[in-house]
Amino acid sequence: MAYQWLGIISIALAMTLGCGSETTPGGGFGIGGTGGGFGGAGGTAGTPDWDPQCVTSPLCQACPSEALCDSDENCAEGFVCIRSGCDDLEGAPVQQCVFAGGGACNDSSTCGDGRECVEVAGEGKRCIKTSPGCDTSRDCLTGFECEDNACVDRRVPCVLDEDCPKNHLCFGGTNSTFCLRIQTACLEDFDCVDRAPYCIDIDGDGKKECAGSVELNPASGPCANDLCEDPGAPVCEASSVSSVSQCGRYGLCLSDEDCVSGDRCVGLWPDGRKECVPEGGDCASLSDCPENQVCASGRTGGAPACQAGAVDGGE
């Protein structure tokens, strides 16, 4: 598993280096999920016949040409229709079918209320929510967050990891990259394949999170807070390449006592997990920020603020 994930790092780093021009011929559009899933999986009869040329953006770096849609009804089971981040040449948003999100399963008995175990093209068997709204981020596709029973677009555009806030990495497909929060809920290492090599209890509360390795080689083992003995660096922080983590000032916590003296332990995300951040800041939660931004400490540190990523294409 460790060596498989190291290969994923190499692929992800290579993919983040490209940036589309203003008007670009289309190719497939990769976003979210743990596998491909787009080679005809989304589009069905009735899909709009759009010109594969469009206006790109830092979020949508090449024009979509497959699985285009104008509503969820155009998409296969387990997929939803969302804005790609590109516009057509008349300024209208180009939309595409993408994997809706959901944990791996064997049968519906393991999925919980309002969810069914469904074979999703390119993704395998997944717990798909059949009731309206969302309960957790697992009901939303990658890059979206469940806020007030609705999946909100929190894809922050990036070119490299350094464009992202603390404890995020730059993730995406061949022509779309956005910042992905690393330390999120998981049950098995498989749940973390896009984020980190490990699923462990980082902060000691009995719940598991995706965790980075202490060195670039995942075989070096995961970073957990109980490894951090320096009071000036008491929690696991990812702020270099990919999800590689070290003891630092920013990371998951249970109370203010877990943080550097004077910092706060606050819940910026709606999943109940808290993290150490300096006092002050322009936001207290995701809901304080507009779509395609997150409330977090910047890559170089500081109090939490609405982070927009590489809004200018990273230049």
Side-chain angles (χ1 to χ4, degrees):
M1 177 65 186
Y3 294 105
Q4 176 186 11
W5 187 86
L6 185 57
I8 293 173
I9 290 179
S10 301
I11 294 171
L13 289 175
M15 291 191 299
T16 60
L17 296 177
C19 183
S21 59
E22 182 178 358
T23 311
T24 311
F29 181 70
I31 177 175
T34 59
F38 294 120
T44 63
T47 298
D49 184 20
W50 279 321
D51 190 314
Q53 288 198 339
C54 69
V55 179
T56 60
S57 72
L59 179 62
C60 179
Q61 297 177 5
C63 301
S65 63
E66 297 179 349
L68 303 180
C69 59
D70 55 16
S71 70
D72 290 347
E73 284 69 33
N74 298 138
C75 302
E77 188 170 26
F79 289 76
V80 294
C81 184
I82 67 163
R83 293 187 177 189
S84 67
C86 285
D87 292 339
D88 66 22
L89 300 184
E90 296 181 355
V94 177
Q95 301 187 119
Q96 191 170 33
C97 297
V98 298
F99 173 49
C105 57
N106 292 318
D107 56 67
S108 296
S109 65
T110 62
C111 291
D113 295 340
R115 296 168 179 81
E116 294 182 4
C117 188
V118 174
E119 183 72 33
V120 179
E123 299 292 340
K125 288 187 175 181
R126 296 287 189 145
C127 290
I128 301 299
K129 196 167 192 298
T130 55
S131 56
C134 60
D135 297 326
T136 71
S137 61
R138 294 179 68 83
D139 296 329
C140 304
L141 60 139
T142 304
F144 286 61
E145 189 68 26
C146 184
E147 303 171 45
D148 296 326
N149 200 38
C151 292
V152 179
D153 189 350
R154 294 299 176 187
R155 292 174 295 164
V156 175
C158 60
V159 177
L160 298 171
D161 289 336
E162 63 192 44
D163 298 321
C164 299
K166 293 282 190 184
N167 299 309
H168 287 67
L169 53 75
C170 192
F171 162 84
T174 56
N175 44 17
S176 176
T177 51
F178 55 93
C179 299
L180 196 62
R181 183 186 178 209
I182 297 169
Q183 297 170 334
T184 59
C186 60
L187 295 176
E188 305 291 342
D189 290 351
F190 170 82
D191 298 324
C192 302
V193 69
D194 294 329
R195 304 173 192 265
Y198 296 103
C199 176
I200 65 167
D201 181 5
I202 295 175
D203 53 8
D205 65 351
K207 301 176 183 178
K208 292 182 178 181
E209 297 86 20
C210 296
S213 55
V214 295
E215 296 177 6
L216 186 59
N217 181 1
S220 61
C223 185
N225 287 356
D226 59 7
L227 299 176
C228 302
E229 300 178 352
D230 182 352
V235 291
C236 288
E237 170 188 319
S239 59
S240 55
V241 177
S242 191
S243 63
V244 175
S245 300
Q246 62 284 322
C247 294
R249 181 177 177 180
Y250 302 84
L252 295 182
C253 56
L254 301 180
S255 67
D256 290 349
E257 287 70 30
D258 295 331
C259 306
V260 169
S261 179
D263 283 4
R264 300 178 302 141
C265 181
V266 298
L268 302 177
W269 293 70
D271 63 0
R273 285 174 172 79
K274 297 181 179 181
E275 54 195 282
C276 294
V277 292
E279 287 276 4
D282 298 329
C283 60
S285 69
L286 289 190
S287 60
D288 293 334
C289 302
E291 287 192 343
N292 298 117
Q293 294 187 20
V294 296
C295 180
S297 295
R299 199 70 173 183
T300 58
C306 293
Q307 304 290 329
V311 293
D312 60 355
E315 299 177 356

